[in-house]
């Protein structure tokens, strides 16, 4: 099996079109929110790619809530700036001045009160409090609205979900870096009035998970997953075209191998951005019903960002952690390894069910990734970064199969 792993790595590195799925998803389809026509086109494309690789395919549909803004406006002293409401923002039409927090943290909120004010805080780029936590603190402190300032200059605004429990209590929006700093300066000089209007509509949508199977007759099935949905403002090259490209390449390469001795199920999940709705639905309907016996889930989310830190996270299995630690060392792979839970990814629902989860990502947290923005586009990616991450993912899968199923 060691020779097979080397062959998998070689096959991936010799690929000449590993970026092609990302370019198609971004340039030919574009933003693909779960339940949209574009998401349906993306699902059809992925299913066709699985079939070209000689996998047997199926789809798994599920219903989830959707949210869309019917009315939205944002102004500072009657001057408009780039802004966007967060998904599940509370409704409201209001005006007020701001309370500014530069680096949101639990300590910063310990004794803070915002009664009758709008909380203004900077985005943490995944290195501090999540926006849903900040919103909760804003509500507890008496804020009438929450404004998040984008970290990246250039008029960029970042989409995302603001509540995990339905419609938020107060309006919540993201404004550009420039608008945020303009507002901060004005607030320091004298009172400044911000006007916000949000009216959102809640509905139902049908999401679709796309499944490609390699069946060996085994009683066990390793699930490999990546989400293909995006926010309505983002082409989603990095998040998560890279994960889909890794998934499709591994499906192609492993479909050519014999004597795997375990079934492989490659799943392109939808509605990850809405809180792992697709992976949760599949886990509940197929895994917990024991329709599929799953000893391991491997997740690919944001797998290749040039010059970023590549990380493998392992949860619910010390044995797999040790195995992959030895693998990284023996092949001198450019990746760190940790045993953190797969928070914020489609691996999380499986983790909660005590299933071992391995996840792979490559992120540079010191630089903007353009996730959830209109600037998450293919030209920011490189073939070598994606090939390297995908080759490591292929070796990880091969080593786990070698250790347990040969």
């Amino acid at each position: 099996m060691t020779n097979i792993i080397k062959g998998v790595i070689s096959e991936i590195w010799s690929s000449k079109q590993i970026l092609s799925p990302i370019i198609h998803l971004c340039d030919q389809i574009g933003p693909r929110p779960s339940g949209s026509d574009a998401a349906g086109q993306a699902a059809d494309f992925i299913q066709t790619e699985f079939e070209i690789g000689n996998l047997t395919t199926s789809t798994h549909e599920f219903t989830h809530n959707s949210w869309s803004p019917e009315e939205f406006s944002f102004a500072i002293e009657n001057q408009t700036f780039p802004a966007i409401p967060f998904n599940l923002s509370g409704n409201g039409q209001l005006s007020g001045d701001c309370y500014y927090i530069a680096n949101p943290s639990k300590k910063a909120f310990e004794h803070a009160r915002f009664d009758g004010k709008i909380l203004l805080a900077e985005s943490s780029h995944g290195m501090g409090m999540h926006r849903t936590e900040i919103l909760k603190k804003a509500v507890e402190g008496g804020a009438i609205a929450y404004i998040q300032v984008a970290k990246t200059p250039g008029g960029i605004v970042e989409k995302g979900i603001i509540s995990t429990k339905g419609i938020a209590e107060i309006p919540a929006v993201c404004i550009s870096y420039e608008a945020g700093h303009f507002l901060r300066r004005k607030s320091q000089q004298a009172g400044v009035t911000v006007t916000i209007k949000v009216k959102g509509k809640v509905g139902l949508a049908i999401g679709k998970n796309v499944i490609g199977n390699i069946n060996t007759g085994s009683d066990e099935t390793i699930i490999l997953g990546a989400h293909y949905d995006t926010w309505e403002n983002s082409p989603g090259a990095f998040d998560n075209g890279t994960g889909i490209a890794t998934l499709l390449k591994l499906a192609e390469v492993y479909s050519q191998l014999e004597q795997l001795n375990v079934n492989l199920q490659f799943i392109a999940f939808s509605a990850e951005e809405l809180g792992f709705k697709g992976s949760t639905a599949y886990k509940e309907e197929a895994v917990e019903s024991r329709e599929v016996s799953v000893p391991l889930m491997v997740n690919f989310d944001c797998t290749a960002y040039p010059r970023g830190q590549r990380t493998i996270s392992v949860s619910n299995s010390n044995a797999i952690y040790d195995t992959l630690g030895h693998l990284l060392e023996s092949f001198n792979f450019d990746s760190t390894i940790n045993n953190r839970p797969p928070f914020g990814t489609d691996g999380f629902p499986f983790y909660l069910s005590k299933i071992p989860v391995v996840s792979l990502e490559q992120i540079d947290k010191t630089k903007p990734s353009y996730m959830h923005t209109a600037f998450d586009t293919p030209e920011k990616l490189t073939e070598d970064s994606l090939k390297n991450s995908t080759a490591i993912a292929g070796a990880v899968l091969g080593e786990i199969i070698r250790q347990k199923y040969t």
Side-chain angles (χ1 to χ4, degrees):
M1 191 71 185
T2 300
N3 289 335
I4 292 177
I5 293 173
K6 291 180 179 178
V8 166
I9 294 171
S10 176
E11 181 71 19
I12 291 168
W13 271 105
S14 66
S15 172
K16 298 185 184 303
Q17 297 183 341
I18 197 166
L19 288 172
S20 293
I22 300 174
I23 294 171
H24 182 88
L25 288 170
C26 294
D27 294 355
Q28 301 301 317
I29 298 175
R32 41 199 182 276
S34 184
S36 66
D37 290 342
Q41 294 173 36
D44 291 343
F45 167 72
I46 294 167
Q47 187 167 8
T48 299
E49 291 295 296
F50 281 151
E51 291 170 350
I52 291 173
N54 294 317
L55 280 70
T56 57
T57 65
S58 60
T59 59
H60 168 255
E61 294 187 348
F62 59 96
T63 302
H64 62 80
N65 290 330
S66 64
W67 184 92
S68 58
E70 292 186 306
E71 297 181 45
F72 175 67
S73 61
F74 174 85
I76 303 172
E77 299 290 1
N78 298 318
Q79 183 177 352
T80 59
F81 287 86
I84 192 170
F86 284 116
N87 192 271
L88 294 177
S89 165
N91 294 324
Q93 182 171 358
L94 55 91
S95 296
D97 57 355
C98 295
Y99 185 110
Y100 177 72
I101 294 182
N103 299 300
S105 65
K106 291 182 179 179
K107 185 175 182 180
F109 283 107
E110 278 182 358
H111 304 292
R113 294 295 306 176
F114 325 110
D115 298 290
K117 294 183 180 292
I118 298 169
L119 176 63
L120 177 69
E122 294 193 13
S123 170
S124 63
H125 263 328
M127 299 179 70
M129 293 181 70
H130 191 267
R131 72 182 78 89
T132 56
E133 297 176 285
I134 298 173
L135 177 84
K136 182 179 179 180
K137 294 296 184 181
V139 172
E140 290 174 354
I144 59 173
Y146 167 53
I147 299 173
Q148 176 177 297
V149 181
K151 272 283 188 184
T152 306
I156 297 170
V157 290
E158 304 160 356
K159 186 72 175 181
I161 196 164
I162 197 64
S163 172
T164 58
K165 299 180 179 180
I167 301 295
E169 295 94 328
I170 57 176
V173 306
C174 180
I175 63 175
S176 68
Y177 174 90
E178 293 79 7
H181 285 271
F182 171 76
L183 178 54
R184 181 185 178 188
R185 291 193 301 271
K186 294 284 286 185
S187 297
Q188 290 173 338
Q189 295 167 7
V192 60
T193 300
V194 176
T195 303
I196 301 172
K197 181 179 181 180
V198 180
K199 182 181 178 182
K201 178 182 179 181
V202 177
L204 290 176
I206 297 176
K208 182 186 291 186
N209 298 324
V210 184
I211 304 165
N213 290 294
I214 298 176
N215 296 307
T216 67
S218 171
D219 292 332
E220 295 188 330
T221 300
I222 294 175
I223 290 178
L224 301 99
H227 77 90
Y228 67 91
D229 63 306
T230 70
W231 291 109
E232 67 271 14
N233 65 326
S234 179
F238 175 56
D239 184 18
N240 187 34
T242 55
I244 289 295
T246 294
L247 187 76
L248 291 175
K249 178 54 66 174
L250 292 185
E252 174 192 334
V253 171
Y254 270 85
S255 69
Q256 301 169 21
L257 301 182
E258 297 179 356
Q259 298 179 334
L260 291 175
N261 299 323
V262 64
N263 303 323
L264 300 181
Q265 193 168 78
F266 299 83
I267 308 180
F269 292 113
S270 191
E272 186 270 354
E273 299 292 4
L274 301 178
F276 334 124
K277 301 297 185 184
S279 53
T280 298
Y282 185 77
K283 185 210 65 170
E284 291 176 349
E285 294 176 26
V287 179
E288 292 185 354
S289 67
R290 302 196 181 279
E291 177 183 326
V292 180
S293 176
V294 180
L296 173 68
M297 193 273 180
V298 185
N299 193 67
F300 308 116
D301 200 341
C302 301
T303 56
Y305 192 82
R307 296 173 296 280
Q309 174 64 62
R310 188 176 290 105
T311 304
I312 293 172
S313 299
V314 181
S315 53
N316 290 339
S317 175
N318 291 330
I320 292 177
Y321 177 84
D322 291 340
T323 293
L324 297 187
H326 292 310
L327 174 75
L328 297 183
E329 184 177 352
S330 62
F331 278 83
N332 196 27
F333 282 138
D334 178 21
S335 178
T336 62
I337 187 168
N338 62 56
N339 54 7
R340 290 197 300 266
F343 297 123
T345 76
D346 279 314
F348 192 62
F350 295 88
Y351 163 79
L352 292 178
S353 290
K354 309 300 181 183
I355 294 170
V357 177
V358 175
S359 58
L360 178 115
E361 67 177 16
Q362 185 185 21
I363 295 177
D364 188 343
K365 293 185 177 180
T366 67
K367 298 178 181 178
S369 66
Y370 299 99
M371 289 190 298
H372 301 180
T373 78
F375 298 88
D376 185 5
T377 47
E379 70 278 358
K380 298 179 179 68
L381 308 174
T382 65
E383 280 195 356
D384 281 357
S385 178
L386 183 56
K387 286 180 179 180
N388 199 357
S389 291
T390 304
I392 292 172
V396 163
L397 178 59
E399 181 65 8
I400 291 171
I401 292 174
R402 185 183 77 84
Q403 289 284 342
K404 188 171 182 180
Y405 297 101
T406 59

